[in-house]
Amino acid sequence: MLTFLLIDPKFIEGQRRQQLDVGTDMKHIYLGLKTSFCLFSISLFVLLLLTSCNNELTTPDPPIKVELSPGDPSEKLLARIYFDASASMQGFVVPNTSQYKSILRPLESVITSGWRNGKAEFYRFGEQVTPIDRDGYLMADSEDFYTELKTYIQKIFEYEEQLVSKNINNASNNSIDGGPSPNKVNDIREEDSLVVIVTDLFQDKQDVNLLVTQLRDKYINKEKKGQALGLLGLRSEFDGRVYNLGTSPILYRSTPGKPETFRPFYLLVIGRHADIAHYFDRLIANGFTDAQTLIFSQYLVDSLLSFENATIEQLVNLNRVSIAEKPDPQVKEYRITDKNKPSQISAKLKFQFLSYVMPFDSEKFEVNIIAEYKPDSKGKNEISLDAQKCLKVISTHSKNDEDNELNVGFNLDSGSLPDERKIYLYEVTLSPGIDTFKEPDWCSQWDMEDERNGAKTLNLVNFIRGLSQATTLIHEPIIAKFHFYIEKR
């Protein structure tokens, strides 16, 4: 039996269209899901990229390494020795033997024996400076040598300027003419020379302030890099007149065998710190162990203190990390572990004061703090005053019989650091303040003050204080410079 099913063509067409519509809707849904997924992936990538960039904090540029040391004595040296030829000095050579007479020959001999290429030239001064030959130098232990009525130490400074200027001109001419270059002229270069002034520090008009000013302007100024002033004092037998007291001269005779009655004289020495110290070492080794010595210089310790040789005794709220691209032993690197708690570093350092430097209160230091950060990898370090205020430094100095020890503590208010995602570079400098320097006891003991005493020196304390203050104000000598990175996340 055959059965015929009659289907309306319109029904078939409707079914077909319905199937097409469903397919179209599915396609639209698929395309929509695909588009959403792409947008989500892009957003996620951007988010991850930004997060990754934020994790890589910009490290400030490392500090410039500072070498602050007087160095070694010069290999070659020309000493120009100036003798005060005033009548006030005559009394030092009247006794048969005296400390003054004894040191005249070593003034030269320690130059020739203490430096491989050392030599000396000689001059006498009073109202003017006059070069003298070796025979004239050998006459310095006789009364006839000391005939000048007035003494002007500043004339030496003027004469020195003329010598140096003449030498520079000669060196320049030689260089132009094909002769030796200025670098090889070794006779009167300031860096290769030592000026030694033998005097009792009594001069016309007693103007010690003017003398300090002239020394400051000509030898302590910052243009004279590495230049220092030294003072070596000795007491010597004396029998003669003391002039330049503002009134009539006084007769004075020391008592044999009683050094407290001897009259002081001095070597005022100008040159590099290392050369002055070596000169003093050589003179003392030649038997002048009772010499009193001072060096006014930008250098106070044998090498600048830093974290390099420090012992870190305690860390609070800090972890050691690697921050700098090239680690530096002088720079510590730390990350704050809890941003809301204070952080601390306690360090201990051993050091050695340089011989002959002006003594100072080594428990009171002036502290200078600089805090830097780097805004971006291409920029330069910028100073953050807010970060600077977050750090406090406490330093104490302890001394025992064998060595000097500095204990220093760094207290950081971590919670107040101005940005949670920064690396800071701290620089902390310790320096003695101008008021912490104190002249040694012998200075006041040898100072004449208001008495007319031939065993003492007029205005000695004022002279030494003036040189110390001028040196400190101009060179701002420091003993330590600490650097460390602090990372706050």
Side-chain angles (χ1 to χ4, degrees):
M1 175 176 158
L2 296 173
T3 301
F4 295 92
L5 180 62
L6 299 175
I7 299 175
D8 189 349
K10 293 182 179 180
F11 171 79
I12 296 172
E13 180 65 18
Q15 290 296 315
R16 188 178 66 81
R17 288 182 178 179
Q18 187 176 1
Q19 289 176 357
L20 290 173
D21 289 340
V22 170
T24 303
D25 290 340
M26 292 297 294
K27 186 175 182 180
H28 282 293
I29 291 172
Y30 170 78
L31 291 174
L33 289 173
K34 185 176 180 181
T35 301
S36 299
F37 179 78
C38 289
L39 290 174
F40 171 78
S41 299
I42 292 171
S43 299
L44 180 61
F45 175 78
V46 171
L47 179 62
L48 291 173
L49 181 62
L50 291 175
T51 303
S52 174
C53 290
N54 283 338
N55 284 334
E56 294 182 5
L57 304 182
T58 304
T59 303
D61 294 330
I64 299 174
K65 191 169 183 178
V66 177
E67 295 288 350
L68 197 61
S69 170
D72 298 322
S74 303
E75 289 191 9
K76 53 189 176 184
L77 189 78
L78 172 64
R80 294 187 292 281
I81 304 175
Y82 295 84
F83 293 95
D84 183 344
S86 66
S88 261
M89 299 291 291
Q90 192 178 75
F92 287 116
V93 298
V94 171
N96 290 329
T97 59
S98 70
Q99 279 271 66
Y100 182 82
K101 282 185 174 181
S102 299
I103 204 172
L104 292 176
R105 299 298 175 267
L107 291 176
E108 178 197 22
S109 64
V110 300
I111 295 293
T112 55
S113 63
W115 281 263
R116 186 172 57 185
N117 295 306
K119 63 178 181 177
E121 295 177 350
F122 311 101
Y123 307 81
R124 67 195 299 272
F125 73 96
E127 291 189 71
Q128 299 295 331
V129 175
T130 306
I132 56 176
D133 57 18
R134 186 166 185 79
D135 290 336
Y137 156 61
L138 296 176
M139 289 291 294
D141 62 357
S142 67
E143 297 178 47
D144 294 339
F145 187 87
Y146 303 93
T147 57
E148 297 287 334
L149 298 178
K150 295 182 179 181
T151 309
Y152 297 104
I153 296 177
Q154 62 265 30
K155 294 293 184 180
I156 297 174
F157 310 148
E158 297 170 4
Y159 191 83
E160 280 287 309
E161 281 189 344
Q162 294 173 7
L163 287 178
V164 172
S165 177
K166 181 180 178 181
N167 184 67
I168 291 174
N169 290 336
N170 288 341
S172 299
N173 292 335
N174 286 336
S175 181
I176 293 172
D177 296 338
S181 69
N183 302 349
K184 296 183 178 180
V185 176
N186 68 339
D187 281 346
I188 313 179
R189 287 200 322 174
E190 286 183 281
E191 58 267 37
D192 293 332
S193 68
L194 202 66
V195 174
V196 181
I197 303 171
V198 187
T199 177
D200 60 359
L201 289 179
F202 280 67
Q203 65 170 1
D204 195 57
K205 298 182 181 179
Q206 315 165 46
D207 197 344
V208 67
N209 292 328
L210 176 61
L211 180 57
V212 169
T213 299
Q214 291 168 333
L215 286 166
R216 178 199 67 195
D217 294 344
K218 296 183 181 298
Y219 300 107
I220 303 177
N221 66 77
K222 285 189 175 182
E223 293 180 1
K224 304 286 186 179
K225 293 182 179 179
Q227 198 87 322
L229 299 176
L231 189 70
L232 182 147
L234 281 167
R235 280 176 160 175
S236 175
E237 298 82 351
F238 187 89
D239 186 1
R241 286 181 170 83
V242 181
Y243 293 84
N244 296 325
L245 293 173
T247 57
S248 58
I250 62 172
L251 287 170
Y252 185 75
R253 176 181 295 174
S254 60
T255 303
K258 292 187 176 182
E260 65 273 14
T261 69
F262 294 177
R263 176 164 171 73
F265 71 94
Y266 305 88
L267 308 183
L268 179 59
V269 186
I270 304 166
R272 292 180 59 248
H273 184 123
D275 289 326
I276 296 174
H278 189 52
Y279 191 54
F280 286 176
D281 288 342
R282 299 288 297 169
L283 286 172
I284 291 171
N286 270 262
F288 300 96
T289 55
D290 54 342
Q292 303 291 350
T293 51
L294 284 174
I295 294 181
F296 306 92
S297 164
Q298 61 182 307
Y299 307 111
L300 298 175
V301 290
D302 57 351
S303 60
L304 196 62
L305 304 183
S306 72
F307 275 128
E308 184 168 7
N309 297 314
T311 300
I312 305 300
E313 300 214 301
Q314 187 179 31
L315 285 178
V316 177
N317 197 35
L318 293 171
N319 282 336
R320 293 184 178 89
V321 292
S322 295
I323 296 174
E325 184 178 345
K326 295 181 179 179
D328 184 335
Q330 296 189 81
V331 184
K332 295 297 182 183
E333 304 174 49
Y334 300 111
R335 177 181 295 149
I336 297 170
T337 55
D338 188 334
K339 64 184 180 182
N340 297 315
K341 293 182 179 180
S343 305
Q344 295 179 353
I345 307 171
S346 297
K348 180 174 68 176
L349 306 92
K350 292 185 178 182
F351 65 98
Q352 186 65 49
F353 288 115
L354 289 170
S355 301
Y356 315 124
V357 297
M358 186 78 169
F360 58 91
D361 186 344
S362 51
E363 294 186 1
K364 297 179 181 178
F365 293 105
E366 291 187 354
V367 178
N368 184 56
I369 300 172
I370 298 175
E372 296 181 332
Y373 70 99
K374 198 171 184 179
D376 57 70
S377 59
K378 296 182 180 180
K380 295 182 179 180
N381 290 1
E382 293 186 7
I383 292 176
S384 172
L385 295 178
D386 291 332
Q388 177 180 315
K389 295 174 183 176
C390 294
L391 186 70
K392 304 296 180 186
V393 179
I394 300 174
S395 62
T396 59
H397 166 258
S398 58
K399 183 177 180 180
N400 55 40
D401 293 337
E402 296 181 358
D403 48 32
N404 296 296
E405 188 176 282
L406 177 70
N407 297 289
V408 57
F410 306 86
N411 298 330
L412 181 67
D413 183 2
S414 307
S416 299
L417 280 174
D419 196 319
E420 292 188 7
R421 305 194 62 78
K422 264 195 177 67
I423 296 175
Y424 294 96
L425 172 62
Y426 278 97
E427 177 182 278
V428 178
T429 303
L430 301 184
S431 59
I434 188 171
D435 296 327
T436 64
F437 288 90
K438 175 67 176 175
E439 66 275 1
D441 292 340
W442 65 267
C443 299
S444 56
Q445 294 168 3
W446 291 15
D447 190 275
M448 187 176 288
E449 296 181 340
D450 296 329
E451 58 179 327
R452 288 164 58 86
N453 185 341
K456 297 190 176 184
T457 302
L458 190 65
N459 292 323
L460 178 63
V461 168
N462 289 339
F463 178 63
I464 288 173
R465 285 179 183 172
L467 291 180
S468 175
Q469 291 173 359
T471 302
T472 306
L473 283 172
I474 292 173
H475 290 299
E476 299 176 340
I478 64 177
I479 71 158
K481 193 179 285 287
F482 300 100
H483 293 96
F484 54 93
Y485 286 110
I486 292 289
E487 180 181 318
K488 183 178 181 181
R489 288 182 177 269

